[in-house]
Amino acid sequence: MSREALFGAARALAERIVGAPAVAVRADASLGTVIATLGGLLAGVPVVPVPPDSGPLERAHILSDSGAALLVAPGAWTDIGLPTTTVDPAARSAGTLPEPGPDATALILYTSGTTGPPKGVSISHAAIAAGLDGAIEAWDWTADDVLVHGLPLFHVHGLVLGVLGALRTGSRLVHTGRPTPAGYAAAGGSLYFGVPTVWSRIAQDPDSARALAGARLLVSGSAPLPVPVFERVAELTGHRPVERYGMTETLITLSTRADGERRPGSVGWPIAGVRTRLVGEDGSPCAHDGETVGELQVDSPTLFQGYLNRPEATAATLTTDGWFRTGDVAVIDPEGRHRIVGRASTDLIKTGGYRVGAGEVEGALLAHPAVHEAAVIGAPHTDLGQEIVAFVVLAPGAEVSERQLVDHVAAGLSVHKRPRRVLFVADLPRNAMGKVQKKLLTD
């Protein structure tokens, strides 16, 4: 679909929904989702993307909590309690609507926490613009690019970066429906977005991976990219992936650069306009020595407006001087490179008086040829406070003992960072974006 036709269809929808307090969109991987989202943005109406696979309880919570007055493209959903409307890709309007102000809410995205129902994250037009412009600069993204991805359109990665980014640059976009290796290989793009699960599957499909050799840039985000996957993708495609970091509440904040060094495990430097700092448990600044672990805090024009209808939850995420507490722990090296260790709640393990990042132990495990996937948690321990426990998925046909893996980690890292227990499992629980759900492992 041409840009002209897309905006014509979106304007036609915008004229039908202008003035609504918010509109929900059944955000499947379709052109209708793109038209509906753009229509809401043009109308100045907050758009609420709803996962197409959401169950009745989750869907009812999102529709009620968001205050949406209308559901666009309901598909097969029934008994939703809201008026509905469809998207007509053939509709056209050349009319104009007032430009929404920069502080107007553009999107309300729902994120799930470890407890309670999902929270609505309100994101302004200005925040989206700042995040996209920072990514565009970091990745040398231009209108000459062809972006390819197959990511869900109800998350920041697929919708904001992967759709609105293409519209902001004027580049073409090919959405593959699902992020399959064959789909990526056939798309003929210059710029590819994927989550680690996508790149892992591509690394296991050499023919599809080699088809990406003609690309300009491969970008990975939403979760840490395992070092073996990074290295295998680089070997097969000739491209060292760009790794980046962000959250729903902060959009994109950190990235390695198209024209810079790309080290496995590094998510690079702040994009334009973003400031970061590392803070210890006592509130003091952490050294930028590449070893000291601290909570990552962000001050940025990309920050969210707050959690919808939850002022207390919003206030709890902000420091007294207005910085956002990401809840992630990281290290920063002397040159300013950032490496995310994991979530403070699940990935900062306090064992025997030491502070150990789960990501570092996972990386050491993944360096063993018998290990296909690994996830590390801290489990309660009467003597140590927490003990390091590793869940390991073995590579097909591989054999290794628990003792061999413990010794392997102890040989590469400090001895106190070795797992006390290794549990062999068939797979790891993941969410729709490929992130391991460590709460389930802890349980």
Side-chain angles (χ1 to χ4, degrees), residues 13-383:
L13 177 63
E15 291 169 356
R16 290 160 48 199
I17 64 175
V18 67
V23 295
V25 177
R26 182 180 181 274
D28 60 1
S30 71
L31 188 61
T33 296
V34 177
I35 294 171
T37 301
L38 183 57
L41 297 180
L42 293 174
V45 174
V47 175
V48 186
V50 184
D53 62 350
S54 59
L57 293 178
E58 179 185 4
R59 185 163 63 244
H61 167 71
I62 292 174
L63 296 177
S64 172
D65 187 70
S66 67
L70 184 71
L71 175 63
V72 182
W77 289 347
T78 59
D79 300 326
I80 53 176
L82 281 182
T84 64
T85 189
T86 57
V87 174
D88 181 4
R92 297 290 183 271
S93 173
T96 58
L97 291 164
E99 180 82 12
D103 294 329
T105 300
L107 297 172
I108 302 173
L109 297 170
Y110 276 78
T111 64
S112 56
T114 56
T115 60
K119 297 191 293 289
V121 178
S122 298
I123 302 172
S124 70
H125 285 254
I128 291 174
L132 293 180
D133 289 346
I136 288 165
E137 178 188 47
W139 302 336
D140 294 337
W141 191 355
T142 74
D144 294 327
D145 278 307
V146 176
L147 170 62
V148 176
H149 76 85
L151 302 174
L153 299 186
F154 48 88
H155 287 297
V156 166
H157 197 166
L159 182 63
V160 176
L161 288 175
V163 172
L164 302 184
L167 290 173
R168 192 159 180 84
T169 60
S171 72
R172 287 172 288 172
L173 165 64
V174 177
H175 194 285
T176 60
R178 293 177 59 84
T180 64
Y184 275 38
S190 62
L191 178 62
Y192 286 81
F193 290 173
V195 298
T197 302
V198 173
W199 296 119
S200 176
R201 291 172 180 171
I202 288 174
Q204 297 171 48
D205 187 336
D207 289 340
S208 294
R210 293 187 184 101
L212 305 186
R216 185 179 66 79
L217 209 64
L218 311 180
V219 180
S220 183
S222 294
L225 183 65
V227 172
V229 176
F230 180 106
E231 293 174 342
R232 182 63 172 159
V233 168
E235 175 189 350
L236 291 170
T237 67
H239 299 288
R240 297 173 69 82
V242 161
E243 296 185 64
R244 58 93 180 159
Y245 166 83
M247 302 175 62
T248 304
E249 292 90 340
T250 68
L251 305 181
I252 181 172
T253 53
L254 301 166
S255 182
T256 51
R257 302 299 200 263
D259 60 354
E261 181 185 8
R262 303 168 209 165
R263 294 183 182 177
S266 168
V267 291
W269 293 266
I271 64 169
V274 175
R275 295 190 298 160
T276 64
R277 67 188 184 191
L278 281 188
V279 177
E281 288 182 296
D282 61 356
S284 63
C286 292
H288 292 189
D289 55 11
E291 293 290 337
T292 304
V293 176
E295 183 196 31
L296 180 65
Q297 298 181 354
V298 174
D299 179 41
S300 169
T302 66
L303 287 182
F304 72 140
Q305 297 169 306
Y307 294 116
L308 189 68
N309 305 321
R310 289 173 169 82
E312 297 85 1
T314 302
T317 67
L318 300 176
T319 64
T320 55
D321 55 352
W323 287 60
F324 178 75
R325 297 185 173 103
T326 66
D328 285 323
V329 286
V331 298
I332 303 177
D333 72 14
E335 295 179 315
R337 291 184 189 84
H338 293 60
R339 179 167 58 84
I340 305 300
V341 175
R343 296 295 292 169
S345 58
T346 56
D347 294 312
L348 181 59
I349 303 170
K350 301 171 186 176
T351 178
Y354 294 101
R355 291 155 55 90
V356 177
E360 187 175 18
V361 183
E362 290 164 354
L365 287 166
L366 288 167
H368 193 287
V371 176
H372 175 56
E373 293 182 314
V376 170
I377 64 168
H381 190 274
T382 54
D383 180 45

